[in-house]
Every structure is written in C-alpha cells, then in structure tokens.
Amino acid sequence: MADTERRSWVPMSGLFLAQVLMSFNVAALPISLGGMVEDFSVPPTVASSTIVVYGLAVAALVMTGAKLGQRIGWTLIFRAVLAVFATSSLLMILSPTIGWAIAGQVLAGAAAAIIVPALVALIAENYRGAQQATAVGSLGSARAFSGMSAFLIGGTLGTFVGWRPIFVITLVLAVVVFALSFTLRSDRGDASTRIDLVASVLVGGAVVALTLGFNNLNGWGALLAAPEAPFSLLGLSPAPVLVVVGVVLGQLFILWTLRRMRQGKVPLVDLSVLGSRTERSAVYAMFIIVLMEAAVNFTVPIYIQVVQGRTPLDTSWAMMPFNLTVFVTATLIVRFYSRFSPRTIALFAFALTTGALIWLSAVVTNNWETLPTILGLVVFGIGQGALVTLVFNVLVTSAPTRLAGDVGSLRGTTQNLASAVGTAVMGAVLVMVLGVGVGRAVTEHPELPEELVAQVDLDQVNFVSNDELHEVLSRTTATDAQVEAAIALNEEQRLRTLKTGFLLLAGLSAIAALPASRLPAYRPEEIPDPAP
C-alpha cells in the first residue's frame, strides 16, 4: 500500500474503541471499589486486588500474546480475545463474591495482553504515512478519553444504580468492537513463528513475583514476616524476597533473549527496540508516568469513597478536573511536536507533575472541591496528558514497522506492570504510614488510655470511615469523649498520610527528569509529524 493511499477511518474506529474498552475497564475499577467493599464485605486493599491482577495478567502475558498474534494472525486472534473480554464483563456483572470479580479481571487482563500489541500491529497493517502517525497518536487520546468518561459515567451509575452496571458498558463495547473488526485488513499469520517458552516463563514469573511482592509488602511485612504471611524465610517476609526473585528473573529473561538473538533465533520480543538510549529512556519515563497515574487514581477514589463515605458520583466530580485535563492535553499536545523537541516537552511536563504533587501535599484537605486542590489536579493532569502521548510516540517512531508488535508488547508490559506496581505500592505505603502515624499518635494522646487501645487491633490499621471507626469503638469500653478523640486522631492521621503519599510521588516525578533528559532533541523539521 503506497504511503499516499488514504484508507477509511472506519477500521481505526474499531481499534480506537478497543483501546477505550481496555482503558474504560481499568478506570472503572477504582470507581467500583466502594461498591465492592460494601457488596462483598472486604477491606479496600482486597477489593483493589481486581486492579492489581488485571495489570499483572497483561504484563505477564503480553509478550507471549504478541507472538501468538504473529503466528495465528492479528485479525483472527483479535476477534477471539474480544469474546474473552466480553466474558470477563459478564463475570463482573454477575459475580457473587470478590473471588469471581478477581477472576473476571484476570480474564480481562489475559485478553488485553493480546489486544495491546494487536492495536499497534493492526494500525501498521492498515495505515501508512501520516495516517499511521495519526492513528498511533489517537491511542493516547482514547486512553485519556476513557479515563474521563469512566469516572463520569461510572460515578453516576455507581451512585444511583450500582457498580455492576458499569461493566455492562464494557460488554457492549466488546460486542461493537467485534463487529467493527470485520472492516480490518485480514492477515494470515505466520505458522513458522515459534514462541520462546523459556522466555515466556521467565518474564511471566518476573512480573508475577514483582507484583505479588509489592502488593503484599504491608500485609506480609516489609522486612520481617508478619503473622498474616503465608510462610517465612528465616524470619523474613516473603514479600521482599519475591521482589528480589522478580528482579533476578527479569535479568535472566534479558540474558536469555540476547543469547537467542546472537544465535539468530526468534526471540519472544526483539530487544533491538531498546537498542538506543532514547528508546530505553522512553520506556523508563513511561513506567514512571503510568505508575504515578495509577497511584493517584487509586488514592483519591479510595479516600473519597471509603474514608469520607461519599458516593462514586462525588468521586467522579472530584477526579473530573484531572481526567478532563489529561484527555484535552493528550489530544492537543501533538500540535507542539513541530515546535518543541520531545526532551523539552518531557522535562517541562515532569516539572509540572512534580510541582503539582508538592502543591497537593501542602493544600489537600478533607474537602476535595477546594480551588487549590482542583488547581493541583489540573496542573498534574496537564503534565500527565502530555507525557502519556509523547513517550509512546517516541517509542513507536524510533522503531521500524516490522517491530510494531514488539513495540506494542513492550508498551503493554511496561504500562500494566507500572499500573499494578503503582496501585500495590501506593496501597502498601499508605497503610504502612497510617499504621505508624496512628501508633505514635495514640501514645501522645493521654485521653486514650492503654486499656482502651488494647481493645482495638492496631496491627490491622487500614483506611476506615468515621462511621466504621465509631462502630468498632462502640463495642469497647470507650466513653463518648474518647470516641470523639479517637475519630479526630484518625482524621488527622489519614490526612497526614495522604499528604505524605503525594510528597513521595513528587519525589518520584522529580527523579524522572533523568530519563526525560535522554529523550530525543530533534530539530523542529526532523520531528515526526503525527498530524494528518
């Protein structure tokens, strides 16, 4: 197909909606946390496992999924996994327990593991030249649009109907995308493509070990094994051990893949897509961007719904400035590519996210509708939206078309591992900081005597609403004055913990200036123009 040939955008509409489908599902999960906590009577950290297992499944399987697509044919396997995604939506709608909901997200993640590389490969197959660049850029806009619409639609449904109908939307989207898939160019696949099973096991094991390790740092112990840990290793918690194992398996995967490439064998993923410092820096930056976004999208909804006891609609309105800004910025940032280099845009965007997070740590209160808080979320959204589209564009345009599937799988592994780790680590850190803060504050409040504290299990400190705390204390010997003191202490420590969380994210954002400084510094006339 010649570069000058223009194709209909109807096939791209299906690919756009496929990205919307995945992103809507992910964005709907934080909105649903409050409803799942209430429906299934589980702690927020257990309900958030639905977010973690989705990202875990995608990150663990996406590289293998890319090879399956090359072997079977992208169009055929794309349709097959859409049916799997529809099944996962049904599980979410009908789930009687949290276990069924978690299983539903495992299926969704497994399907997305193939959809993610398929999107890039199918764009490369169906479009060329300026149309291809525009199509690639639209995936970032689709992701941002999904986040905005999921919070708005999901919040409304979650408040007035319930959290389950939110996933009726993902079911409908899966059916629509399946129908539109018949407008795509058909590819036959390559039966000679071999899947490196050793590499599949290594990368899958690395992702699972890292995610489980980070996700259980709080419950199993950050260093020494807690009573809840399934086992201990010479008194050590299995959580940090799993993190180390994950890092080792990841290194083994890289060494194994490089060895196969030297031998002229087909690797699970062609690491030449990371051959230059520019490409590696883009991946590092992408990991930090998605991790920060996942942490914020986990922290704010869980605080508003679980701690403050407000509705999903309240959460939607609180997050709307952020999500709307991300969407608008991700869509418009392409207009600046011909005027500023990727390095300049990235450094400026990371400066915005760092400043916004520091600002939020200083001004956030128990009322999210204050102007300073909204301003902080807007500025953070501007930086986030610019970065999401920019780094993916750098990664895609720096790799040859034949490696589109490998770029897609690398993108999927990076984004979903970052999302899972961001959610898991933020949850663990917040609960850990809260536990330490509450424990220290109790000793500083003489109105809360030791005999009362002994009746409350401080080893199980978690984010709870004032109503839940009042209910727990009503079963103790606490007087009304002591109950009021305990609730005031809880409010103070929760807010302090939230501020600390924002400050830690600001530090991470500042560190991201290092990989951002290694992104390309193209002259304006050399920058790939994503606009048609």
Side-chain angles (χ1 to χ4, degrees):
M1 182 170 61
D3 283 3
T4 56
E5 180 185 343
R6 292 186 61 82
R7 287 208 67 205
S8 165
W9 286 113
V10 173
M12 185 58 214
S13 65
L15 301 179
F16 181 90
L17 288 176
Q19 178 67 63
V20 170
L21 167 65
M22 293 187 297
S23 301
F24 190 96
N25 178 78
V26 172
L29 289 173
I31 285 291
S32 306
L33 285 180
M36 286 191 279
V37 167
E38 184 178 350
D39 268 14
F40 302 134
S41 300
V42 295
T45 47
V46 174
S48 69
S49 296
T50 53
I51 304 173
V52 174
V53 297
Y54 173 88
L56 189 154
V58 180
L61 299 173
V62 68
M63 290 185 180
T64 305
K67 287 302 175 188
L68 281 172
Q70 293 170 12
R71 180 180 175 86
I72 297 172
W74 288 112
T75 306
L76 180 61
I77 201 167
F78 182 63
R79 291 173 188 150
V81 296
L82 285 171
V84 175
F85 215 115
T87 303
S88 76
S89 298
L90 285 173
L91 281 178
M92 295 299 293
I93 296 167
L94 304 174
S95 55
T97 65
I98 189 64
W100 285 91
I102 291 173
Q105 287 309 305
V106 170
L107 278 182
I114 293 177
I115 294 176
V116 167
L119 293 180
V120 181
L122 287 170
I123 285 175
E125 175 70 23
N126 285 266
Y127 297 98
R128 293 288 186 274
Q131 275 195 302
Q132 184 182 103
T134 303
V136 168
S138 72
L139 295 183
S141 299
R143 190 170 178 271
F145 169 77
S146 305
M148 179 187 66
S149 59
F151 271 89
L152 181 59
I153 299 172
T156 303
L157 288 174
T159 299
F160 298 108
V161 183
W163 65 272
R164 296 176 191 270
I166 298 173
F167 295 94
V168 173
I169 296 174
T170 60
L171 177 60
V172 171
L173 278 173
V175 173
V176 171
V177 175
F178 182 84
L180 288 171
S181 70
F182 289 93
T183 65
L184 294 165
R185 284 185 189 273
S186 181
D187 60 318
R188 298 180 180 179
D190 184 0
S192 66
T193 300
R194 295 289 179 264
I195 298 175
D196 185 354
L197 295 179
V198 173
S200 296
V201 171
L202 287 174
V203 73
V207 169
V208 171
L210 284 170
T211 307
L212 287 179
F214 280 119
N215 196 41
N216 291 285
L217 281 173
N218 180 64
W220 294 351
L223 183 60
L224 299 178
E228 294 77 18
F231 59 90
S232 65
L233 298 171
L234 301 177
L236 293 176
S237 165
V241 174
L242 281 172
V243 172
V244 173
V245 169
V247 172
V248 171
L249 289 176
Q251 293 296 316
L252 289 175
F253 163 74
I254 293 173
L255 292 173
W256 174 266
T257 301
L258 290 174
R259 176 173 173 268
R260 282 184 66 88
M261 292 177 67
R262 285 195 299 268
Q263 294 173 344
K265 298 179 180 178
V266 178
L268 185 66
V269 62
D270 193 327
L271 292 182
S272 64
V273 298
L274 296 175
S276 72
R277 187 176 70 169
T278 293
E279 291 156 342
R280 291 192 295 273
S281 297
V283 171
Y284 298 149
M286 182 183 295
F287 187 90
I288 294 173
I289 295 159
V290 177
L291 187 150
M292 290 193 303
E293 183 180 30
V296 170
N297 276 331
F298 166 75
T299 303
V300 177
I302 201 173
Y303 195 87
I304 294 176
Q305 291 186 70
V306 177
V307 172
Q308 297 180 314
R310 300 174 71 180
T311 67
L313 186 58
D314 292 326
T315 307
S316 299
W317 284 115
M319 290 296 291
M320 187 53 62
F322 169 67
N323 286 300
L324 182 60
T325 308
V326 170
F327 169 61
V328 172
T329 308
T331 303
L332 298 181
I333 191 64
V334 295
R335 298 178 181 271
F336 293 89
Y337 288 178
S338 59
R339 298 171 57 188
F340 302 100
S341 71
R343 180 184 301 172
T344 301
I345 295 174
L347 287 173
F348 180 73
F350 273 121
L352 286 180
T353 56
T354 303
L357 288 166
I358 293 174
W359 173 263
L360 284 171
S361 71
V363 304
V364 71
T365 66
N366 282 320
N367 181 9
W368 288 91
E369 285 77 17
T370 62
L371 182 60
T373 304
I374 293 173
L375 178 63
L377 288 174
V378 167
V379 174
F380 182 73
I382 292 172
Q384 189 77 18
L387 290 164
V388 165
T389 303
L390 174 72
V391 294
F392 184 40
N393 184 277
V394 169
L395 195 59
V396 170
T397 55
S398 62
T401 303
R402 65 181 177 83
L403 297 178
D406 295 277
V407 171
S409 65
L410 182 65
R411 172 204 179 212
T413 301
T414 302
Q415 287 190 336
N416 288 279
L417 180 60
S419 180
V421 170
T423 302
V425 171
M426 197 63 177
V429 168
L430 290 181
V431 172
M432 195 180 304
V433 172
L434 181 64
V436 171
V438 169
R440 184 180 64 248
V442 164
T443 62
E444 298 171 354
H445 283 68
E447 66 270 29
L448 298 175
E450 291 185 7
E451 56 270 22
L452 174 60
V453 174
Q455 299 176 60
V456 181
D457 187 4
L458 289 181
D459 292 330
Q460 296 296 324
V461 170
N462 209 321
F463 282 90
V464 295
S465 66
N466 290 341
D467 292 339
E468 290 174 311
L469 182 59
H470 192 282
E471 182 181 347
V472 170
L473 292 174
S474 67
R475 297 194 292 267
T476 68
T477 58
T479 65
D480 290 342
Q482 290 170 338
V483 169
E484 290 180 7
I487 289 176
L489 181 152
N490 190 41
E491 287 182 346
E492 175 188 345
Q493 292 305 318
R494 287 182 322 210
L495 190 57
R496 183 175 296 176
T497 298
L498 186 64
K499 290 174 176 284
T500 302
F502 281 133
L503 205 55
L504 290 173
L505 286 177
L508 180 63
S509 179
I511 293 172
L514 182 59
S517 67
R518 295 175 178 172
L519 291 177
Y522 299 122
R523 291 193 303 272
E525 64 272 13
E526 296 175 333
I527 300 175
D529 184 8

